[in-house]
Each structure stands twice: as C-alpha cells, then as structure tokens.
Amino acid sequence: MSSTDERTHGTDGASAGVPMVLAEGVHKRFGLNEVLKGIDMTVGRGEVVCLLGPSGSGKSTLLRCINHLEPINRGRITVDGQIVGYREKDGRLHELPEKVAVQQRADIGMVFQRFNLFAHRTALQNITEAPILVKGMGRKQAEARALELLERVGLGDRGGAYPSQLSGGQQQRVAIARALAMDPKLMLFDEPTSALDPELVGDVLDVMRDLAKAGMTMVVVTHEIGFAREVGDRVVFMDEGVVVESGPPSQVLDAPQEARTRTFLSKVL
C-alpha cells in the first residue's frame, strides 16, 4: 500500500497543519429523504481516501457536497481551510452566489462516472476550455498545458480526436486531464471506472495510481477493492448515510470491526 509518507506533499508552512478536507456533522436531504445523516470525515494533504459502500449509501452525494455541486442542509465542509459554498456571518452560514462558488470549485477537480465531455469538441478543446474561460489563461498556454496532460494520461497523439472517436477508457482519461488542467489542490473521483468495459479499467486506474504517487489529495468513490487496498491510505465504509467504519485498508478490508462492513465485503470480495 502506498503511504502518505512516501509521497510528495505540496504544502506551505501556513497551511501544512490544515486538513485538505474537513466534513463536520454534514446532513443532506432530498425532500423527505435524508441521504447524509451527520458525516464527519477528515482527509489529510496528499492522502488518498476511498469511499466504499452499497448503492444509495450517500457516497456520491458526499462527493458532490464537497465541491458544492449539492448544497448541504446542516454542518459544514472546508477544503484547504475554506468553507465551501458558504460564508460565515454571525455564527450562521450563508450560501455564496453561484459565480463565487464556481471560482471556489476551480480548485477542486471532479471526474464523474460518465465522462461528460463536449461531443462537438476535440480532446484538446475539452481540456483547454475551463482554463481559458475560468482562469483567463491564454490559448497558447492552455493548449501547451493540455498537450502535456494528454501525454501524461497516455493520449499524447489523440488531441485532435472527438469523443466519439475514443473508447470509454480514453474518454475518461481525457476527463481526468481536463480536471488536472485547472491545477486542482484536490481531486474527487465518482466511480470513474464503473461505466467502462472491464478491459479498459486498468488504464484509468494506472493514471490514478500515478496521481497518488505524485502526491495528489484524492477522494475516490469506487467498487475497485484492489485499487482501494493498493493505493488508498484510508478506506471509509458508508451505509445508509453514515460512516460505519474507517481505517487503513488492511484493517477495514481484511479485519473489519463492524458486522455491516463484513456483510458488504463478503458479497464483493
């Protein structure tokens, strides 16, 4: 298993002691359905945390709350010490205007189950759009960076290809490059291999392994138990909107303390 001690941590003195992600008492409802029921979770800098659990346990919702794609109903989430999506005044949280939230979100890369690439734009164009529009980067600089990232994810010769000309695995690697083009401090992965044919999964996981080795802080919703065991610093098992168990992969996967965790793992291992 990789450990955070083996990785390069891009921290400065002022922020080194601040967790990259801190969720405190997070509740989220959709109508009468309470999906998150008081989630507490800390993700350290350079740490890879893998979220496991059955469908409907709240994993993806938690991920979407971390970058404020979903507002929360109670509690708070900070990324790099900054409250996400809200400002605090007189002890209360007030939701930020969407334009401000978008700027915050620029520091948080997210890769979805479905690749969400623009079908009418090439791989290169998909990657350069956000740096140009959100960060104001010059086109030449953005394109040079995009070519570097395509090379990094093993697609250096596919910049001119449209999504329809790429396999699912290639599209997902373009999606990862697109997220990295914003130079995020945190990467969120929502079951990034679940929509792929089995033979295409390995290439995507290899890119994620390389990111972990380079020190990227990552929160990964996954059913890839082998990846969680090998790359994760910590595994968090969720069920019915709560954290049931959390710890090193060797503990949670090989010697789970909770009966609910054991039942789940007996069906997926």
Side-chain angles (χ1 to χ4, degrees), residues 7 24 31-32 40 72 85 91 97 99 110 137 169 179 183 189 269:
R7 299 185 185 143
E24 301 175 285
L32 297 177
D40 295 309
I72 61 177
K99 185 176 181 180
M110 185 155 182
M137 187 180 290
D183 292 319
F189 292 88
L269 288 177

Side-chain angles (χ1 to χ4, degrees), residues 42-62:
T42 302
V43 181
R45 294 170 185 278
E47 190 175 24
V48 178
V49 173
C50 294
L51 304 182
L52 302 182
S55 296
S57 60
K59 309 180 301 297
S60 294
T61 298
L62 176 59

Side-chain angles (χ1 to χ4, degrees), residues 23-242:
E24 301 175 285
V26 174
H27 290 254
K28 173 63 183 177
R29 292 189 315 274
F30 293 102
L32 297 177
N33 182 24
E34 190 172 30
V35 179
L36 301 178
K37 304 173 183 177
I39 297 291
D40 295 309
M41 187 176 76
T42 302
V43 181
R45 294 170 185 278
E47 190 175 24
V48 178
V49 173
C50 294
L51 304 182
L52 302 182
S55 296
S57 60
K59 309 180 301 297
S60 294
T61 298
L62 176 59
L63 222 59
R64 292 173 66 85
C65 289
I66 289 174
N67 69 352
H68 200 61
L69 285 176
E70 293 288 352
I72 61 177
N73 298 111
R74 204 160 86 225
R76 72 172 58 202
I77 299 173
T78 61
V79 172
D80 198 20
Q82 184 178 30
I83 301 172
V84 177
Y86 300 89
R87 61 181 176 85
E88 190 166 24
K89 184 178 180 182
D90 300 327
R92 299 185 63 184
L93 295 182
H94 302 267
E95 192 167 5
L96 292 171
E98 178 61 16
K99 185 176 181 180
V100 181
V102 166
Q103 290 296 329
Q104 273 192 338
R105 204 175 289 135
D107 288 330
I108 306 171
M110 185 155 182
V111 178
F112 300 87
Q113 296 179 39
R114 296 290 174 178
F115 326 119
N116 293 353
L117 299 178
F118 294 112
H120 60 292
R121 293 184 180 154
T122 64
L124 189 73
Q125 290 168 339
N126 267 280
I127 296 168
T128 57
E129 182 179 47
I132 291 170
L133 294 181
V134 179
K135 286 198 164 184
M137 187 180 290
R139 183 167 299 278
K140 282 189 176 181
Q141 183 184 358
E143 288 181 352
R145 175 68 171 145
L147 290 171
E148 288 176 9
L149 289 168
L150 282 169
E151 197 71 45
R152 183 174 180 180
V153 300
L155 295 171
D157 61 342
R158 304 295 277 156
Y162 289 89
S164 62
Q165 299 170 316
L166 300 172
S167 71
Q170 290 172 329
Q171 289 184 62
Q172 192 62 293
R173 283 185 278 157
V174 172
I176 293 173
R178 177 180 60 183
L180 292 175
M182 296 295 285
D183 292 319
K185 58 182 71 171
L186 167 69
M187 284 287 286
L188 308 175
F189 292 88
D190 188 5
E191 298 190 36
T193 60
S194 66
L196 302 180
D197 292 332
E199 67 268 22
L200 302 177
V201 168
D203 289 338
V204 173
L205 293 181
D206 284 344
V207 171
M208 294 170 66
R209 287 186 185 94
D210 288 342
L211 287 176
K213 289 176 184 174
M216 177 62 74
T217 308
M218 297 161 58
V219 183
V220 185
V221 174
T222 184
H223 293 298
E224 300 288 342
I225 303 297
F227 176 85
R229 187 191 305 277
E230 175 194 352
V231 180
D233 295 297
R234 197 149 41 87
V235 169
V236 174
F237 175 70
M238 291 179 61
D239 190 27
E240 297 185 352
V242 300

